[in-house]
């Protein structure tokens, strides 16, 4: 199975080239209101992309637009920023609506618009899509959300039930219009459009412009400005794309093994959240790997220092969030590990583009939990590349690799000479222990030099069994981070995670001055637990993990989530992340641990 990426799918540089930079305009010249300019700066956008520099002024001037642009061109900001400029955050009620073909895109667009609205107090965005209960969506609309992002079917359902009214809508976006028509939403889209006032502004985005889309534009848009942007293609590069099925809780162990046998000079490990960056980075350091992490929490100047260390070879592994790794260009990176499968194919393509640079060969390895396999298929469909499944190295392979490296260095060492003292010592040892097999002796010396105990039949049992089970029984077991299910459902899922007591994560850590006693106090005081219910506590920078073997009921979770400790709400939830220190020796610089 070949897994080489067609060059055209790889961005050649950074997010700034995913979104085709253009000369001239800056965000300051686009005419955006100050709070939106600030939000864009916060997000680290410096230069508007081609679609942004053309669409934003036209939309701010009140024009309708037809944008022929794909994901990755920066189209979400191109329509999302003017959308927010058109909405009055001080007035409750739906003023703007974005229709998207899929639930994933709806969530993604809602998240993006929410991030653009950081400095617009009072502004609320709600995502509405099928397969999810009506009531929370209905409540969010009733609370006065000004922006609705949704799939046509669910939007219509809300319209039919009277839980969504669009007669105050001033701004409407059809995102990925070709996809919506292809999925059979033409009639639904027409009905939604017909429920909005005639004088609303419309932005239609589509990757292609077939006749049916032209007809929609002619029928519903008023003298639209047409903007077409192509995605920039890339430098020629080759990345071998692979994946391995790894249950979530074994990802750290699997990563340790992968890093132990990789031939890559440097590796970048992508994670989704800041918390995961810190956890995975610390867990690797605990295992003696030369690793560091960068995320939005790490100051820009520190990030630059860390990247310089990676470039110079002082650091081998960088754990990073997508945002923090933007623009990262380090030739030494021979391996990209996706600790999780990204939600968007675009992010995936961007991540793996960090390797295979400057004409070198690179490898990308994605860890996929059994439950995430459908996400992988989506990426394969979008990128039109079949990923190659690879096994995680076994402990024996890790040892063999270390030995091979060590023995590979022996000719050079022999060349250096000055071995007399060793030769004499070995001869004396053999004389003193007649019958010693020299190979046996050399094997023991090698094991000591390699520094591991060598695989035993029991070694890695847990991890290897789990890897084998996961590989053979796709679609079972677990579900991964970013968990948006209600607490009760999460608790049920938790019981499926094999072994170990339930661990809970609270959003308060060292940074907030959290002490174990304060956490226990909150759990026993507000949560009604006894001291005995609370197990081990590990405190990290921005969060802490706590074992509560007996679990928590949904209402206790709810109450505790709002409880403030060290000035911040606990936001307690089941920890679905990696377990730092899992199978590793105690760190000297790791998390602070407490027992109760
Ligand atoms: P989109 O095409 O809207 O899905 O955006 C693709 C990616 O580019 C997203 O991760 C955006 O956050 C990012 N992005 C959008 N506009 C810019 C910009 N002007 N500069 C840098 N990154 C951007």
């Amino acid at each position: 199975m070949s897994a080489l990426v067609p060059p055209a799918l790889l961005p050649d540089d950074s997010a700034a080239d995913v979104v085709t930079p253009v000369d001239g305009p800056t965000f300051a010249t686009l005419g955006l209101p100050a709070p939106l300019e600030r939000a864009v700066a916060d997000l680290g956008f410096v230069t508007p992309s081609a679609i942004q520099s053309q669409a934003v002024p036209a939309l701010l001037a009140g024009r309708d637009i037809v944008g022929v642009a794909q994901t990755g061109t920066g189209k979400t900001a191109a329509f999302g920023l003017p959308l927010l400029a058109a909405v009055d955050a001080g007035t409750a009620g739906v003023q703007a609506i974005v229709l998207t073909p899929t639930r994933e895109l709806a969530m993604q667009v809602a998240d993006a618009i929410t991030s653009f609205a950081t400095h617009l107090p009072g502004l609320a965005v709600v995502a509405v899509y099928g397969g999810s209960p009506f009531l929370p969506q209905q409540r969010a609309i009733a609370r006065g959300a000004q922006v609705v992002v949704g799939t046509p079917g669910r939007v219509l359902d809300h319209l039919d039930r009277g839980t969504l009214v669009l007669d105050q809508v001033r701004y409407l976006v059809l995102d990925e219009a070709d996809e919506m028509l292809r999925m059979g939403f033409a009639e639904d889209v027409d009905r939604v459009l017909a429920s909005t006032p005639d004088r609303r502004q419309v932005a239609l985005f589509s990757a292609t412009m077939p006749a049916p889309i032209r007809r929609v534009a002619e029928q519903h848009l008023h003298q639209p400005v047409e903007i077409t942007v192509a995605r920039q293609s890339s430098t020629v590069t080759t990345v071998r794309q692979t994946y391995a099925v790894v249950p979530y809780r074994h990802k750290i162990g699997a990563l340790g093994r992968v890093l132990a046998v990789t031939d890559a000079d440097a590796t970048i490990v992508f994670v989704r959240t800041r918390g995961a960056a810190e956890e995975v980075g610390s867990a690797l350091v605990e295992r003696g790997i030369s690793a560091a992490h960068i995320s939005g929490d790490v100051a820009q100047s520190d990030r630059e220092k860390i990247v310089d260390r990676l470039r110079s070879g002082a650091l081998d592994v960088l754990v990073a969030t997508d945002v923090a790794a933007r623009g990262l260009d380090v030739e030494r990176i021979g391996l990209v590990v996706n600790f999780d499968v990204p939600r968007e194919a675009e992010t995936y393509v961007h991540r793996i583009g960090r390797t295979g640079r400057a004409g070198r060969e690179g490898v990308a390895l994605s860890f996929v939990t059994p439950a995430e396999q459908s996400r992988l298929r989506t990426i394969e469909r979008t990128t039109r590349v079949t990923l190659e499944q690879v096994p995680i190295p076994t402990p024996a392979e890790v040892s063999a690799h270390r030995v091979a490296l060590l023995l590979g260095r022996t000719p050079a060492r022999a060349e250096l000479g000055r071995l007399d003292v060793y030769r004499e010592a070995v001869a004396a040892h053999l004389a003193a222990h007649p019958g010693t097999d020299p190979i046996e002796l050399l094997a023991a010396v090698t094991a000591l030099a390699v520094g591991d105990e060598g695989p035993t039949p029991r070694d890695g049992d847990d991890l290897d069994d789990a890897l084998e089970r996961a590989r053979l029984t796709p679609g079972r077991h677990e579900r991964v981070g970013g968990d948006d299910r209600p607490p009760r459902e999460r608790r049920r899922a938790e019981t499926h995670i094999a072994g170990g007591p339930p661990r809970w994560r609270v959003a308060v850590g060292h940074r907030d001055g959290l002490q174990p006693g304060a956490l226990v106090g909150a759990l026993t005081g507000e949560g009604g637990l006894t001291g005995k219910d609370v197990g081990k506590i590990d405190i990290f920078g921005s969060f802490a993990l706590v074992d509560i073997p007996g679990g928590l009921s949904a209402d206790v979770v709810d109450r505790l989530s709002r409880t403030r400790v060290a000035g911040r709400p606990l936001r307690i939830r089941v920890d679905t992340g990696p377990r730092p220190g899992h199978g590793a020796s105690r760190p000297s610089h790791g998390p602070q641990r407490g027992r109760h």
Side-chain angles (χ1 to χ4, degrees):
M1 244 183 307
S2 158
L4 296 182
V5 206
L9 287 170
L10 286 174
D12 70 351
D13 219 328
S14 63
D17 55 46
V18 176
V19 289
T20 319
V22 287
D23 286 336
T26 63
F27 277 102
T29 60
L30 290 187
L32 286 167
L36 296 177
E37 243 182 65
R38 265 170 66 205
V40 162
D42 290 350
L43 288 168
F45 297 1
V46 178
T47 316
S49 68
I51 188 87
Q52 289 161 1
S53 59
Q54 295 174 68
V56 170
L59 287 167
L60 288 176
R63 298 290 302 267
D64 283 359
I65 71 159
V66 169
V68 185
Q70 294 170 327
T71 298
T73 51
K75 67 184 167 70
T76 316
F79 66 71
L81 293 166
L83 174 151
L84 289 170
V87 166
D88 176 5
T91 307
V94 180
Q95 300 164 43
I97 179 159
V98 181
L99 293 182
T100 69
T102 63
R103 158 199 173 107
E104 286 71 28
L105 187 61
M107 290 193 275
Q108 198 180 305
V109 168
D111 283 351
I113 295 180
T114 305
S115 70
F116 305 147
T118 323
H119 301 294
L120 296 174
L123 191 124
V125 181
V126 53
V128 305
Y129 41 76
S132 174
F134 261 96
L135 206 57
Q137 300 177 356
Q138 180 183 333
R139 287 204 185 112
I141 298 168
R143 275 198 299 271
Q146 294 89 349
V147 182
V148 169
V149 183
T151 51
R154 182 53 72 99
V155 166
L156 270 188
D157 285 346
H158 278 286
L159 284 174
D160 290 344
R161 290 177 179 216
T163 47
L164 173 64
V165 178
L166 298 179
D167 55 13
Q168 296 304 315
V169 162
R170 303 201 259 271
Y171 193 107
L172 183 142
V173 181
L174 304 176
D175 195 10
E176 300 198 354
D178 48 355
E179 214 35 39
M180 282 199 277
L181 295 205
R182 203 181 56 76
M183 291 172 69
F185 285 135
E187 223 173 279
D188 293 357
V189 170
D190 277 346
R191 279 189 57 203
V192 175
L193 277 159
S195 308
T196 59
D198 283 345
R199 297 193 48 203
R200 80 279 189 255
Q201 193 178 353
V202 184
L204 181 156
F205 282 84
S206 193
T208 56
M209 237 337 115
I213 304 281
R214 293 222 164 270
R215 276 199 295 279
V216 172
E218 275 157 24
Q219 197 181 339
H220 296 286
L221 276 63
H222 179 66
Q223 297 180 345
V225 177
E226 280 211 26
I227 301 167
T228 302
V229 297
R231 213 165 58 205
Q232 228 181 21
S233 69
S234 63
T235 47
V236 176
T237 171
T238 48
V239 180
R240 181 176 162 230
Q241 296 182 65
T242 65
Y243 76 97
V245 183
V246 185
Y248 198 89
R249 59 175 306 186
H250 292 295
K251 283 187 176 184
I252 284 285
L255 179 61
R257 292 193 196 171
V258 167
L259 294 176
V261 304
T262 182
D263 293 325
D265 291 337
T267 299
I268 180 160
V269 179
F270 278 105
V271 293
R272 215 160 18 226
T273 63
R274 298 167 187 191
E278 187 178 340
E279 271 184 69
V280 175
S282 310
L284 293 180
V285 171
E286 282 177 23
R287 277 156 197 259
I289 292 168
S290 146
H293 74 272
I294 55 173
S295 68
D297 269 357
V298 178
Q300 182 62 29
S301 57
D302 290 335
R303 277 191 236 174
E304 280 163 17
K305 279 188 204 133
I306 292 172
V307 172
D308 281 345
R309 285 174 55 215
L310 189 72
R311 195 170 281 127
S312 71
L315 192 69
D316 292 335
V317 180
L318 179 66
V319 183
T321 56
D322 293 297
V323 174
R326 199 162 271 163
L328 192 94
D329 185 6
V330 177
E331 277 183 31
R332 288 181 70 240
I333 296 174
L335 172 66
V336 168
V337 178
N338 288 315
F339 200 75
D340 50 61
V341 185
R343 292 208 176 85
E344 310 154 51
E346 197 61 37
T347 306
Y348 172 83
V349 170
H350 197 256
R351 285 178 173 189
I352 69 167
R354 299 304 99 203
T355 184
R357 304 184 75 77
R360 295 195 187 193
E361 288 253 313
V363 176
L365 170 63
S366 299
F367 284 174
V368 187
T369 65
E372 272 178 323
Q373 298 202 43
S374 62
R375 219 183 264 173
L376 193 72
R377 300 282 99 84
T378 310
I379 286 175
E380 288 186 326
R381 264 200 310 279
T382 319
T383 57
R384 287 192 289 274
V385 172
T386 306
L387 271 60
E388 175 190 347
Q389 184 168 10
V390 293
I392 294 295
T394 62
E397 283 164 343
V398 170
S399 292
H401 184 85
R402 289 181 175 148
V403 171
L405 284 183
L406 181 78
L407 295 181
R409 285 163 54 206
T410 53
R413 180 61 192 85
E415 183 79 9
L416 202 65
R418 304 220 299 250
L419 289 171
D420 294 348
V421 62
Y422 303 103
R423 210 174 282 119
E424 283 159 21
V426 171
H429 181 87
L430 288 175
H433 301 85
T436 300
D437 176 0
I439 296 270
E440 201 61 28
L441 176 67
L442 201 48
V445 173
T446 306
L448 288 170
V450 162
D452 68 23
E453 290 174 8
T456 71
R458 284 188 54 248
D459 215 10
D461 260 1
D462 193 20
L463 171 52
D464 290 316
D465 282 359
L467 290 172
E468 183 63 7
R469 268 202 316 276
R471 206 170 57 74
L472 297 177
T473 52
R476 275 207 302 126
H477 310 303
E478 298 177 44
R479 170 179 168 119
V480 213
D483 203 334
D484 52 4
R485 289 164 300 166
R488 208 174 307 123
E489 219 180 298
R490 283 203 298 262
R491 289 226 11 230
R492 270 204 303 276
E494 169 68 11
T495 61
H496 293 296
I497 298 176
R503 289 213 103 183
W504 295 77
R505 169 197 283 254
V506 297
V508 185
H510 277 313
R511 202 174 54 184
D512 317 298
L514 178 67
Q515 294 294 327
L519 184 54
V520 176
L523 294 169
T524 52
E526 296 291 323
L529 304 180
T530 68
K532 274 202 232 98
D533 296 329
V534 182
K536 187 156 60 88
I537 295 176
D538 291 338
I539 301 179
F540 295 83
S542 56
F543 63 93
L545 300 177
V546 52
D547 280 348
I548 304 174
L552 297 175
S553 68
D555 53 351
V556 171
V557 170
D558 195 41
R559 201 163 57 238
L560 279 172
S561 284
R562 282 176 277 121
T563 302
R564 296 178 87 85
V565 173
R568 293 170 73 94
L570 279 182
R571 295 189 7 230
I572 194 164
R573 61 177 172 83
V574 167
D575 177 52
T576 46
R579 292 186 158 207
H582 177 75
S585 56
R586 280 289 77 82
S588 53
H589 41 256
Q592 174 184 331
R593 287 161 199 271
R595 266 225 75 81
H596 305 278

